[in-house]
PDB file of all heavy atoms in Angstrom:
ATOM      1  N   GLY A   1       0.792  -1.214  -0.012  1.00 50.00           N
ATOM      2  CA  GLY A   1      -0.077  -0.063  -0.030  1.00 50.00           C
ATOM      3  C   GLY A   1       0.832   1.357  -0.017  1.00 50.00           C
ATOM      4  O   GLY A   1       0.327   2.321   0.530  1.00 50.00           O
ATOM      5  N   THR A   2       2.062   1.186  -0.630  1.00 45.00           N
ATOM      6  CA  THR A   2       2.828   2.526  -0.615  1.00 45.00           C
ATOM      7  C   THR A   2       2.589   3.294  -1.863  1.00 45.00           C
ATOM      8  O   THR A   2       3.182   4.395  -2.078  1.00 45.00           O
ATOM      9  CB  THR A   2       4.327   2.044  -0.595  1.00 45.00           C
ATOM     10  OG1 THR A   2       4.524   1.240  -1.921  1.00 45.00           O
ATOM     11  CG2 THR A   2       4.694   1.192   0.521  1.00 45.00           C
ATOM     12  N   GLY A   3       1.652   2.867  -2.710  1.00 49.00           N
ATOM     13  CA  GLY A   3       1.391   3.697  -3.976  1.00 49.00           C
ATOM     14  C   GLY A   3       2.583   3.263  -5.030  1.00 49.00           C
ATOM     15  O   GLY A   3       2.709   4.143  -5.907  1.00 49.00           O
ATOM     16  N   LEU A   4       3.141   2.172  -4.845  1.00 49.00           N
ATOM     17  CA  LEU A   4       4.354   2.049  -5.907  1.00 49.00           C
ATOM     18  C   LEU A   4       4.017   0.970  -6.879  1.00 49.00           C
ATOM     19  O   LEU A   4       4.744   0.179  -7.359  1.00 49.00           O
ATOM     20  CB  LEU A   4       5.618   1.515  -5.073  1.00 49.00           C
ATOM     21  CG  LEU A   4       6.033   2.490  -4.005  1.00 49.00           C
ATOM     22  CD1 LEU A   4       7.347   2.007  -3.316  1.00 49.00           C
ATOM     23  CD2 LEU A   4       6.540   3.760  -4.770  1.00 49.00           C
ATOM     24  N   SER A   5       2.665   0.742  -7.195  1.00 50.00           N
ATOM     25  CA  SER A   5       2.232  -0.275  -8.131  1.00 50.00           C
ATOM     26  C   SER A   5       2.741   0.289  -9.438  1.00 50.00           C
ATOM     27  O   SER A   5       2.875   1.453  -9.775  1.00 50.00           O
ATOM     28  CB  SER A   5       0.587  -0.366  -8.071  1.00 50.00           C
ATOM     29  OG  SER A   5       0.118   0.788  -8.359  1.00 50.00           O
ATOM     30  N   ILE A   6       2.934  -0.773 -10.353  1.00 49.00           N
ATOM     31  CA  ILE A   6       3.382  -0.492 -11.651  1.00 49.00           C
ATOM     32  C   ILE A   6       2.494   0.274 -12.494  1.00 49.00           C
ATOM     33  O   ILE A   6       1.186   0.007 -12.584  1.00 49.00           O
ATOM     34  CB  ILE A   6       3.609  -1.916 -12.397  1.00 49.00           C
ATOM     35  CG1 ILE A   6       4.670  -2.681 -11.690  1.00 49.00           C
ATOM     36  CG2 ILE A   6       4.061  -1.498 -13.843  1.00 49.00           C
ATOM     37  CD1 ILE A   6       6.045  -1.925 -11.735  1.00 49.00           C
ATOM     38  N   ASP A   7       2.955   1.291 -13.152  1.00 54.00           N
ATOM     39  CA  ASP A   7       2.102   2.311 -13.960  1.00 54.00           C
ATOM     40  C   ASP A   7       2.794   2.401 -15.337  1.00 54.00           C
ATOM     41  O   ASP A   7       3.908   2.624 -15.495  1.00 54.00           O
ATOM     42  CB  ASP A   7       2.070   3.613 -13.208  1.00 54.00           C
ATOM     43  CG  ASP A   7       1.256   4.622 -13.903  1.00 54.00           C
ATOM     44  OD1 ASP A   7       1.125   4.518 -15.216  1.00 54.00           O
ATOM     45  OD2 ASP A   7       0.621   5.501 -13.150  1.00 54.00           O
ATOM     46  N   ARG A   8       2.058   2.228 -16.385  1.00 61.00           N
ATOM     47  CA  ARG A   8       2.609   2.259 -17.853  1.00 61.00           C
ATOM     48  C   ARG A   8       3.240   3.543 -17.931  1.00 61.00           C
ATOM     49  O   ARG A   8       4.224   3.668 -18.763  1.00 61.00           O
ATOM     50  CB  ARG A   8       1.449   2.017 -18.792  1.00 61.00           C
ATOM     51  CG  ARG A   8       1.008   0.562 -18.715  1.00 61.00           C
ATOM     52  CD  ARG A   8      -0.001   0.443 -19.884  1.00 61.00           C
ATOM     53  NE  ARG A   8      -0.528  -0.999 -19.965  1.00 61.00           N
ATOM     54  CZ  ARG A   8      -1.270  -1.380 -20.939  1.00 61.00           C
ATOM     55  NH1 ARG A   8      -1.822  -0.718 -21.876  1.00 61.00           N
ATOM     56  NH2 ARG A   8      -1.669  -2.824 -20.926  1.00 61.00           N
ATOM     57  N   SER A   9       2.779   4.680 -17.462  1.00 62.00           N
ATOM     58  CA  SER A   9       3.267   5.995 -17.597  1.00 62.00           C
ATOM     59  C   SER A   9       4.732   6.070 -17.163  1.00 62.00           C
ATOM     60  O   SER A   9       5.547   6.839 -17.472  1.00 62.00           O
ATOM     61  CB  SER A   9       2.371   7.032 -16.997  1.00 62.00           C
ATOM     62  OG  SER A   9       2.428   6.873 -15.675  1.00 62.00           O
ATOM     63  N   MET A  10       5.076   5.200 -16.093  1.00 69.00           N
ATOM     64  CA  MET A  10       6.398   5.219 -15.624  1.00 69.00           C
ATOM     65  C   MET A  10       7.268   3.953 -16.027  1.00 69.00           C
ATOM     66  O   MET A  10       8.408   3.893 -15.699  1.00 69.00           O
ATOM     67  CB  MET A  10       6.308   5.258 -13.934  1.00 69.00           C
ATOM     68  CG  MET A  10       5.692   6.384 -13.369  1.00 69.00           C
ATOM     69  SD  MET A  10       5.812   6.471 -11.511  1.00 69.00           S
ATOM     70  CE  MET A  10       4.792   5.061 -11.117  1.00 69.00           C
ATOM     71  N   LEU A  11       6.739   3.232 -16.906  1.00 75.00           N
ATOM     72  CA  LEU A  11       7.482   1.998 -17.459  1.00 75.00           C
ATOM     73  C   LEU A  11       8.851   2.379 -17.970  1.00 75.00           C
ATOM     74  O   LEU A  11       9.830   1.674 -17.699  1.00 75.00           O
ATOM     75  CB  LEU A  11       6.601   1.209 -18.290  1.00 75.00           C
ATOM     76  CG  LEU A  11       7.314  -0.066 -18.841  1.00 75.00           C
ATOM     77  CD1 LEU A  11       7.505  -1.100 -17.674  1.00 75.00           C
ATOM     78  CD2 LEU A  11       6.193  -0.708 -19.814  1.00 75.00           C
ATOM     79  N   ALA A  12       8.807   3.416 -18.784  1.00 84.00           N
ATOM     80  CA  ALA A  12      10.178   3.830 -19.460  1.00 84.00           C
ATOM     81  C   ALA A  12      11.138   4.177 -18.433  1.00 84.00           C
ATOM     82  O   ALA A  12      12.341   3.714 -18.475  1.00 84.00           O
ATOM     83  CB  ALA A  12       9.844   5.030 -20.485  1.00 84.00           C
ATOM     84  N   GLY A  13      10.774   4.884 -17.367  1.00 86.00           N
ATOM     85  CA  GLY A  13      11.665   5.309 -16.226  1.00 86.00           C
ATOM     86  C   GLY A  13      12.148   4.027 -15.553  1.00 86.00           C
ATOM     87  O   GLY A  13      13.212   3.950 -15.225  1.00 86.00           O
ATOM     88  N   ASP A  14      11.235   3.119 -15.258  1.00 81.00           N
ATOM     89  CA  ASP A  14      11.595   1.956 -14.580  1.00 81.00           C
ATOM     90  C   ASP A  14      12.610   1.178 -15.410  1.00 81.00           C
ATOM     91  O   ASP A  14      13.616   0.705 -14.839  1.00 81.00           O
ATOM     92  CB  ASP A  14      10.348   0.928 -14.275  1.00 81.00           C
ATOM     93  CG  ASP A  14       9.369   1.756 -13.456  1.00 81.00           C
ATOM     94  OD1 ASP A  14       9.780   2.569 -12.691  1.00 81.00           O
ATOM     95  OD2 ASP A  14       8.222   1.205 -13.464  1.00 81.00           O
ATOM     96  N   LEU A  15      12.378   1.039 -16.792  1.00 86.00           N
ATOM     97  CA  LEU A  15      13.431   0.288 -17.531  1.00 86.00           C
ATOM     98  C   LEU A  15      14.839   1.014 -17.553  1.00 86.00           C
ATOM     99  O   LEU A  15      15.876   0.318 -17.465  1.00 86.00           O
ATOM    100  CB  LEU A  15      12.821   0.103 -18.933  1.00 86.00           C
ATOM    101  CG  LEU A  15      11.673  -0.812 -19.110  1.00 86.00           C
ATOM    102  CD1 LEU A  15      11.103  -0.824 -20.487  1.00 86.00           C
ATOM    103  CD2 LEU A  15      11.980  -2.210 -18.663  1.00 86.00           C
ATOM    104  N   ILE A  16      14.719   2.347 -17.624  1.00 93.00           N
ATOM    105  CA  ILE A  16      16.096   3.178 -17.572  1.00 93.00           C
ATOM    106  C   ILE A  16      16.753   2.854 -16.241  1.00 93.00           C
ATOM    107  O   ILE A  16      17.895   2.622 -16.288  1.00 93.00           O
ATOM    108  CB  ILE A  16      15.670   4.428 -17.864  1.00 93.00           C
ATOM    109  CG1 ILE A  16      15.248   4.794 -19.264  1.00 93.00           C
ATOM    110  CG2 ILE A  16      17.002   5.360 -17.593  1.00 93.00           C
ATOM    111  CD1 ILE A  16      14.783   6.215 -19.466  1.00 93.00           C
ATOM    112  N   VAL A  17      15.992   2.828 -15.144  1.00 89.00           N
ATOM    113  CA  VAL A  17      16.591   2.626 -13.931  1.00 89.00           C
ATOM    114  C   VAL A  17      17.134   1.198 -13.808  1.00 89.00           C
ATOM    115  O   VAL A  17      18.310   0.894 -13.146  1.00 89.00           O
ATOM    116  CB  VAL A  17      15.653   2.914 -12.673  1.00 89.00           C
ATOM    117  CG1 VAL A  17      16.323   2.493 -11.342  1.00 89.00           C
ATOM    118  CG2 VAL A  17      15.198   4.300 -12.660  1.00 89.00           C
ATOM    119  N   LEU A  18      16.466   0.170 -14.340  1.00 86.00           N
ATOM    120  CA  LEU A  18      16.949  -1.171 -14.377  1.00 86.00           C
ATOM    121  C   LEU A  18      18.224  -1.289 -15.139  1.00 86.00           C
ATOM    122  O   LEU A  18      19.266  -1.843 -14.701  1.00 86.00           O
ATOM    123  CB  LEU A  18      15.944  -2.114 -15.111  1.00 86.00           C
ATOM    124  CG  LEU A  18      16.344  -3.466 -15.184  1.00 86.00           C
ATOM    125  CD1 LEU A  18      16.397  -4.201 -13.829  1.00 86.00           C
ATOM    126  CD2 LEU A  18      15.223  -4.393 -15.943  1.00 86.00           C
ATOM    127  N   ALA A  19      18.492  -0.542 -16.223  1.00 94.00           N
ATOM    128  CA  ALA A  19      19.737  -0.470 -16.946  1.00 94.00           C
ATOM    129  C   ALA A  19      20.803   0.204 -16.074  1.00 94.00           C
ATOM    130  O   ALA A  19      21.913  -0.273 -16.143  1.00 94.00           O
ATOM    131  CB  ALA A  19      19.564   0.307 -18.253  1.00 94.00           C
ATOM    132  N   ALA A  20      20.498   1.172 -15.279  1.00 95.00           N
ATOM    133  CA  ALA A  20      21.272   1.840 -14.444  1.00 95.00           C
ATOM    134  C   ALA A  20      21.901   0.905 -13.373  1.00 95.00           C
ATOM    135  O   ALA A  20      23.107   0.767 -13.003  1.00 95.00           O
ATOM    136  CB  ALA A  20      20.711   3.012 -13.613  1.00 95.00           C
ATOM    137  N   ALA A  21      21.037  -0.010 -12.960  1.00 90.00           N
ATOM    138  CA  ALA A  21      21.270  -1.149 -11.735  1.00 90.00           C
ATOM    139  C   ALA A  21      22.308  -2.074 -12.348  1.00 90.00           C
ATOM    140  O   ALA A  21      23.281  -2.416 -11.732  1.00 90.00           O
ATOM    141  CB  ALA A  21      20.076  -1.661 -11.322  1.00 90.00           C
ATOM    142  N   MET A  22      22.132  -2.378 -13.592  1.00 91.00           N
ATOM    143  CA  MET A  22      23.159  -3.267 -14.358  1.00 91.00           C
ATOM    144  C   MET A  22      24.478  -2.605 -14.491  1.00 91.00           C
ATOM    145  O   MET A  22      25.384  -3.299 -14.255  1.00 91.00           O
ATOM    146  CB  MET A  22      22.471  -3.762 -15.678  1.00 91.00           C
ATOM    147  CG  MET A  22      21.349  -4.484 -15.608  1.00 91.00           C
ATOM    148  SD  MET A  22      20.626  -4.945 -17.227  1.00 91.00           S
ATOM    149  CE  MET A  22      19.165  -6.010 -16.678  1.00 91.00           C
ATOM    150  N   CYS A  23      24.332  -1.370 -14.759  1.00 95.00           N
ATOM    151  CA  CYS A  23      25.744  -0.597 -14.899  1.00 95.00           C
ATOM    152  C   CYS A  23      26.434  -0.636 -13.567  1.00 95.00           C
ATOM    153  O   CYS A  23      27.569  -0.770 -13.453  1.00 95.00           O
ATOM    154  CB  CYS A  23      25.586   0.859 -15.372  1.00 95.00           C
ATOM    155  SG  CYS A  23      25.276   0.985 -17.044  1.00 95.00           S
ATOM    156  N   TRP A  24      25.753  -0.305 -12.401  1.00 90.00           N
ATOM    157  CA  TRP A  24      26.360  -0.205 -11.116  1.00 90.00           C
ATOM    158  C   TRP A  24      26.975  -1.484 -10.711  1.00 90.00           C
ATOM    159  O   TRP A  24      27.921  -1.503 -10.082  1.00 90.00           O
ATOM    160  CB  TRP A  24      25.530   0.282 -10.057  1.00 90.00           C
ATOM    161  CG  TRP A  24      26.033   0.623  -8.836  1.00 90.00           C
ATOM    162  CD1 TRP A  24      25.900  -0.096  -7.654  1.00 90.00           C
ATOM    163  CD2 TRP A  24      26.957   1.595  -8.520  1.00 90.00           C
ATOM    164  NE1 TRP A  24      26.614   0.442  -6.655  1.00 90.00           N
ATOM    165  CE2 TRP A  24      27.444   1.494  -7.188  1.00 90.00           C
ATOM    166  CE3 TRP A  24      27.517   2.706  -9.245  1.00 90.00           C
ATOM    167  CZ2 TRP A  24      28.260   2.432  -6.499  1.00 90.00           C
ATOM    168  CZ3 TRP A  24      28.609   3.492  -8.575  1.00 90.00           C
ATOM    169  CH2 TRP A  24      28.796   3.421  -7.235  1.00 90.00           C
ATOM    170  N   ALA A  25      26.212  -2.610 -10.988  1.00 89.00           N
ATOM    171  CA  ALA A  25      26.619  -3.932 -10.640  1.00 89.00           C
ATOM    172  C   ALA A  25      27.860  -4.360 -11.376  1.00 89.00           C
ATOM    173  O   ALA A  25      28.888  -4.882 -10.808  1.00 89.00           O
ATOM    174  CB  ALA A  25      25.407  -4.861 -10.912  1.00 89.00           C
ATOM    175  N   THR A  26      27.892  -3.936 -12.754  1.00 92.00           N
ATOM    176  CA  THR A  26      29.011  -4.251 -13.450  1.00 92.00           C
ATOM    177  C   THR A  26      30.310  -3.363 -12.944  1.00 92.00           C
ATOM    178  O   THR A  26      31.407  -4.040 -12.842  1.00 92.00           O
ATOM    179  CB  THR A  26      28.838  -3.897 -15.005  1.00 92.00           C
ATOM    180  OG1 THR A  26      27.675  -4.531 -15.450  1.00 92.00           O
ATOM    181  CG2 THR A  26      30.000  -4.222 -15.901  1.00 92.00           C
ATOM    182  N   TYR A  27      30.084  -2.246 -12.611  1.00 90.00           N
ATOM    183  CA  TYR A  27      31.088  -1.410 -12.111  1.00 90.00           C
ATOM    184  C   TYR A  27      31.713  -1.965 -10.723  1.00 90.00           C
ATOM    185  O   TYR A  27      32.974  -2.015 -10.557  1.00 90.00           O
ATOM    186  CB  TYR A  27      30.441   0.077 -11.920  1.00 90.00           C
ATOM    187  CG  TYR A  27      31.137   1.145 -11.099  1.00 90.00           C
ATOM    188  CD1 TYR A  27      32.434   1.581 -11.655  1.00 90.00           C
ATOM    189  CD2 TYR A  27      30.672   1.636  -9.965  1.00 90.00           C
ATOM    190  CE1 TYR A  27      33.178   2.546 -11.036  1.00 90.00           C
ATOM    191  CE2 TYR A  27      31.353   2.605  -9.351  1.00 90.00           C
ATOM    192  CZ  TYR A  27      32.629   3.077  -9.786  1.00 90.00           C
ATOM    193  OH  TYR A  27      33.233   4.118  -9.147  1.00 90.00           O
ATOM    194  N   THR A  28      30.730  -2.387  -9.896  1.00 86.00           N
ATOM    195  CA  THR A  28      31.239  -2.896  -8.628  1.00 86.00           C
ATOM    196  C   THR A  28      32.104  -4.088  -8.777  1.00 86.00           C
ATOM    197  O   THR A  28      33.116  -4.194  -8.059  1.00 86.00           O
ATOM    198  CB  THR A  28      30.058  -3.339  -7.791  1.00 86.00           C
ATOM    199  OG1 THR A  28      29.124  -2.033  -7.554  1.00 86.00           O
ATOM    200  CG2 THR A  28      30.427  -3.857  -6.457  1.00 86.00           C
ATOM    201  N   VAL A  29      31.644  -5.044  -9.705  1.00 87.00           N
ATOM    202  CA  VAL A  29      32.495  -6.254  -9.891  1.00 87.00           C
ATOM    203  C   VAL A  29      33.827  -6.008 -10.669  1.00 87.00           C
ATOM    204  O   VAL A  29      34.839  -6.458 -10.236  1.00 87.00           O
ATOM    205  CB  VAL A  29      31.583  -7.258 -10.650  1.00 87.00           C
ATOM    206  CG1 VAL A  29      32.426  -8.548 -11.185  1.00 87.00           C
ATOM    207  CG2 VAL A  29      30.422  -7.722  -9.848  1.00 87.00           C
ATOM    208  N   MET A  30      33.662  -5.141 -11.661  1.00 89.00           N
ATOM    209  CA  MET A  30      34.895  -4.844 -12.254  1.00 89.00           C
ATOM    210  C   MET A  30      35.942  -4.012 -11.662  1.00 89.00           C
ATOM    211  O   MET A  30      37.092  -4.047 -11.932  1.00 89.00           O
ATOM    212  CB  MET A  30      34.554  -3.977 -13.664  1.00 89.00           C
ATOM    213  CG  MET A  30      33.734  -4.861 -14.705  1.00 89.00           C
ATOM    214  SD  MET A  30      33.238  -3.768 -16.068  1.00 89.00           S
ATOM    215  CE  MET A  30      34.874  -3.181 -16.646  1.00 89.00           C
ATOM    216  N   SER A  31      35.487  -3.179 -10.566  1.00 88.00           N
ATOM    217  CA  SER A  31      36.456  -2.473  -9.715  1.00 88.00           C
ATOM    218  C   SER A  31      37.329  -3.284  -8.930  1.00 88.00           C
ATOM    219  O   SER A  31      38.296  -2.752  -8.411  1.00 88.00           O
ATOM    220  CB  SER A  31      35.596  -1.422  -8.999  1.00 88.00           C
ATOM    221  OG  SER A  31      34.877  -1.967  -7.883  1.00 88.00           O
ATOM    222  N   ARG A  32      36.830  -4.423  -8.479  1.00 83.00           N
ATOM    223  CA  ARG A  32      37.596  -5.129  -7.373  1.00 83.00           C
ATOM    224  C   ARG A  32      38.969  -5.467  -7.701  1.00 83.00           C
ATOM    225  O   ARG A  32      39.881  -5.254  -6.910  1.00 83.00           O
ATOM    226  CB  ARG A  32      36.777  -6.440  -7.021  1.00 83.00           C
ATOM    227  CG  ARG A  32      37.336  -6.996  -5.725  1.00 83.00           C
ATOM    228  CD  ARG A  32      36.640  -8.209  -5.239  1.00 83.00           C
ATOM    229  NE  ARG A  32      37.216  -8.661  -3.954  1.00 83.00           N
ATOM    230  CZ  ARG A  32      36.970  -9.841  -3.378  1.00 83.00           C
ATOM    231  NH1 ARG A  32      36.098 -10.655  -3.972  1.00 83.00           N
ATOM    232  NH2 ARG A  32      37.546 -10.205  -2.260  1.00 83.00           N
ATOM    233  N   PRO A  33      39.309  -5.955  -8.933  1.00 86.00           N
ATOM    234  CA  PRO A  33      40.743  -6.293  -9.248  1.00 86.00           C
ATOM    235  C   PRO A  33      41.655  -4.948  -9.158  1.00 86.00           C
ATOM    236  O   PRO A  33      42.811  -5.036  -8.680  1.00 86.00           O
ATOM    237  CB  PRO A  33      40.731  -6.813 -10.651  1.00 86.00           C
ATOM    238  CG  PRO A  33      39.323  -7.320 -10.836  1.00 86.00           C
ATOM    239  CD  PRO A  33      38.398  -6.449 -10.044  1.00 86.00           C
ATOM    240  N   TRP A  34      41.061  -3.899  -9.424  1.00 92.00           N
ATOM    241  CA  TRP A  34      41.808  -2.648  -9.500  1.00 92.00           C
ATOM    242  C   TRP A  34      42.312  -2.275  -8.070  1.00 92.00           C
ATOM    243  O   TRP A  34      43.149  -1.584  -7.779  1.00 92.00           O
ATOM    244  CB  TRP A  34      41.129  -1.357 -10.132  1.00 92.00           C
ATOM    245  CG  TRP A  34      41.012  -1.768 -11.527  1.00 92.00           C
ATOM    246  CD1 TRP A  34      39.879  -2.348 -12.257  1.00 92.00           C
ATOM    247  CD2 TRP A  34      41.951  -1.323 -12.600  1.00 92.00           C
ATOM    248  NE1 TRP A  34      40.225  -2.366 -13.659  1.00 92.00           N
ATOM    249  CE2 TRP A  34      41.307  -1.733 -13.891  1.00 92.00           C
ATOM    250  CE3 TRP A  34      43.212  -0.682 -12.577  1.00 92.00           C
ATOM    251  CZ2 TRP A  34      42.080  -1.502 -15.110  1.00 92.00           C
ATOM    252  CZ3 TRP A  34      43.827  -0.373 -13.683  1.00 92.00           C
ATOM    253  CH2 TRP A  34      43.298  -0.853 -15.050  1.00 92.00           C
ATOM    254  N   LEU A  35      41.297  -2.605  -7.103  1.00 86.00           N
ATOM    255  CA  LEU A  35      41.560  -2.128  -5.696  1.00 86.00           C
ATOM    256  C   LEU A  35      42.715  -2.871  -4.999  1.00 86.00           C
ATOM    257  O   LEU A  35      42.990  -2.620  -3.966  1.00 86.00           O
ATOM    258  CB  LEU A  35      40.164  -2.335  -4.915  1.00 86.00           C
ATOM    259  CG  LEU A  35      39.144  -1.350  -5.245  1.00 86.00           C
ATOM    260  CD1 LEU A  35      37.687  -1.817  -4.733  1.00 86.00           C
ATOM    261  CD2 LEU A  35      39.512   0.062  -4.785  1.00 86.00           C
ATOM    262  N   SER A  36      43.312  -3.875  -5.709  1.00 87.00           N
ATOM    263  CA  SER A  36      44.404  -4.477  -5.114  1.00 87.00           C
ATOM    264  C   SER A  36      45.723  -3.593  -5.369  1.00 87.00           C
ATOM    265  O   SER A  36      46.762  -3.785  -4.942  1.00 87.00           O
ATOM    266  CB  SER A  36      44.699  -5.977  -5.753  1.00 87.00           C
ATOM    267  OG  SER A  36      44.911  -5.739  -7.137  1.00 87.00           O
ATOM    268  N   ARG A  37      45.483  -2.582  -6.372  1.00 89.00           N
ATOM    269  CA  ARG A  37      46.549  -1.695  -6.748  1.00 89.00           C
ATOM    270  C   ARG A  37      46.423  -0.324  -6.456  1.00 89.00           C
ATOM    271  O   ARG A  37      47.367   0.549  -6.332  1.00 89.00           O
ATOM    272  CB  ARG A  37      46.852  -1.824  -8.277  1.00 89.00           C
ATOM    273  CG  ARG A  37      47.174  -3.314  -8.709  1.00 89.00           C
ATOM    274  CD  ARG A  37      47.156  -3.356 -10.258  1.00 89.00           C
ATOM    275  NE  ARG A  37      47.862  -2.330 -10.899  1.00 89.00           N
ATOM    276  CZ  ARG A  37      47.654  -1.852 -12.168  1.00 89.00           C
ATOM    277  NH1 ARG A  37      46.658  -2.371 -12.723  1.00 89.00           N
ATOM    278  NH2 ARG A  37      48.414  -0.870 -12.692  1.00 89.00           N
ATOM    279  N   PHE A  38      45.142   0.050  -6.300  1.00 91.00           N
ATOM    280  CA  PHE A  38      44.871   1.466  -5.954  1.00 91.00           C
ATOM    281  C   PHE A  38      43.984   1.593  -4.696  1.00 91.00           C
ATOM    282  O   PHE A  38      43.282   0.711  -4.425  1.00 91.00           O
ATOM    283  CB  PHE A  38      43.959   2.133  -7.060  1.00 91.00           C
ATOM    284  CG  PHE A  38      44.632   2.193  -8.437  1.00 91.00           C
ATOM    285  CD1 PHE A  38      44.495   1.119  -9.380  1.00 91.00           C
ATOM    286  CD2 PHE A  38      45.187   3.375  -8.762  1.00 91.00           C
ATOM    287  CE1 PHE A  38      45.126   1.300 -10.664  1.00 91.00           C
ATOM    288  CE2 PHE A  38      45.782   3.424 -10.111  1.00 91.00           C
ATOM    289  CZ  PHE A  38      45.778   2.452 -11.095  1.00 91.00           C
ATOM    290  N   SER A  39      44.157   2.739  -4.136  1.00 88.00           N
ATOM    291  CA  SER A  39      43.317   2.966  -2.805  1.00 88.00           C
ATOM    292  C   SER A  39      41.844   3.281  -3.396  1.00 88.00           C
ATOM    293  O   SER A  39      41.653   3.740  -4.493  1.00 88.00           O
ATOM    294  CB  SER A  39      43.946   4.128  -2.124  1.00 88.00           C
ATOM    295  OG  SER A  39      43.617   5.395  -2.727  1.00 88.00           O
ATOM    296  N   ALA A  40      40.947   3.188  -2.413  1.00 83.00           N
ATOM    297  CA  ALA A  40      39.554   3.528  -2.873  1.00 83.00           C
ATOM    298  C   ALA A  40      39.365   4.936  -3.366  1.00 83.00           C
ATOM    299  O   ALA A  40      38.742   5.165  -4.294  1.00 83.00           O
ATOM    300  CB  ALA A  40      38.690   3.207  -1.565  1.00 83.00           C
ATOM    301  N   LEU A  41      40.019   5.854  -2.633  1.00 87.00           N
ATOM    302  CA  LEU A  41      39.986   7.201  -2.989  1.00 87.00           C
ATOM    303  C   LEU A  41      40.666   7.444  -4.439  1.00 87.00           C
ATOM    304  O   LEU A  41      40.008   8.163  -5.175  1.00 87.00           O
ATOM    305  CB  LEU A  41      40.774   8.062  -2.038  1.00 87.00           C
ATOM    306  CG  LEU A  41      40.827   9.501  -2.422  1.00 87.00           C
ATOM    307  CD1 LEU A  41      39.546  10.369  -2.412  1.00 87.00           C
ATOM    308  CD2 LEU A  41      41.807  10.321  -1.307  1.00 87.00           C
ATOM    309  N   ARG A  42      41.807   6.947  -4.728  1.00 92.00           N
ATOM    310  CA  ARG A  42      42.429   7.131  -6.021  1.00 92.00           C
ATOM    311  C   ARG A  42      41.479   6.531  -7.115  1.00 92.00           C
ATOM    312  O   ARG A  42      41.311   7.196  -8.205  1.00 92.00           O
ATOM    313  CB  ARG A  42      43.809   6.549  -5.988  1.00 92.00           C
ATOM    314  CG  ARG A  42      44.629   6.766  -7.249  1.00 92.00           C
ATOM    315  CD  ARG A  42      46.061   6.311  -7.090  1.00 92.00           C
ATOM    316  NE  ARG A  42      46.685   7.236  -6.200  1.00 92.00           N
ATOM    317  CZ  ARG A  42      47.280   8.431  -6.665  1.00 92.00           C
ATOM    318  NH1 ARG A  42      47.141   8.725  -7.885  1.00 92.00           N
ATOM    319  NH2 ARG A  42      47.826   9.174  -5.775  1.00 92.00           N
ATOM    320  N   LEU A  43      41.086   5.295  -6.970  1.00 91.00           N
ATOM    321  CA  LEU A  43      40.221   4.597  -7.990  1.00 91.00           C
ATOM    322  C   LEU A  43      38.931   5.448  -8.291  1.00 91.00           C
ATOM    323  O   LEU A  43      38.540   5.733  -9.373  1.00 91.00           O
ATOM    324  CB  LEU A  43      39.938   3.301  -7.636  1.00 91.00           C
ATOM    325  CG  LEU A  43      39.373   2.376  -8.751  1.00 91.00           C
ATOM    326  CD1 LEU A  43      40.138   2.295  -9.963  1.00 91.00           C
ATOM    327  CD2 LEU A  43      38.977   0.992  -8.230  1.00 91.00           C
ATOM    328  N   THR A  44      38.322   5.856  -7.143  1.00 88.00           N
ATOM    329  CA  THR A  44      37.039   6.669  -7.338  1.00 88.00           C
ATOM    330  C   THR A  44      37.440   7.956  -8.174  1.00 88.00           C
ATOM    331  O   THR A  44      36.628   8.307  -9.052  1.00 88.00           O
ATOM    332  CB  THR A  44      36.480   6.986  -5.862  1.00 88.00           C
ATOM    333  OG1 THR A  44      36.225   5.926  -5.117  1.00 88.00           O
ATOM    334  CG2 THR A  44      35.272   7.875  -6.021  1.00 88.00           C
TER     335      THR A  44
END
């Protein structure tokens, strides 16, 4: 009952956010090998 039910008018936005989630997941996984050579601050 939070008012977050699926709405066709927001479907495009939902799909764009889903693509963003995939980008962040890829970034998180790909960054780990680099963190053996760089500090978190430097890599960021």
Side-chain angles (χ1 to χ4, degrees):
T2 60
L4 298 178
S5 57
I6 296 298
D7 187 326
R8 288 186 180 181
S9 65
M10 296 191 294
L11 183 58
D14 292 341
L15 292 175
I16 293 172
V17 175
L18 182 63
M22 293 179 179
C23 280
W24 185 254
T26 303
Y27 171 64
T28 299
V29 173
M30 289 175 60
S31 69
R32 190 176 181 192
W34 291 94
L35 288 167
S36 63
R37 299 170 50 204
F38 295 88
S39 70
L41 174 61
R42 182 169 292 274
L43 187 61
T44 300

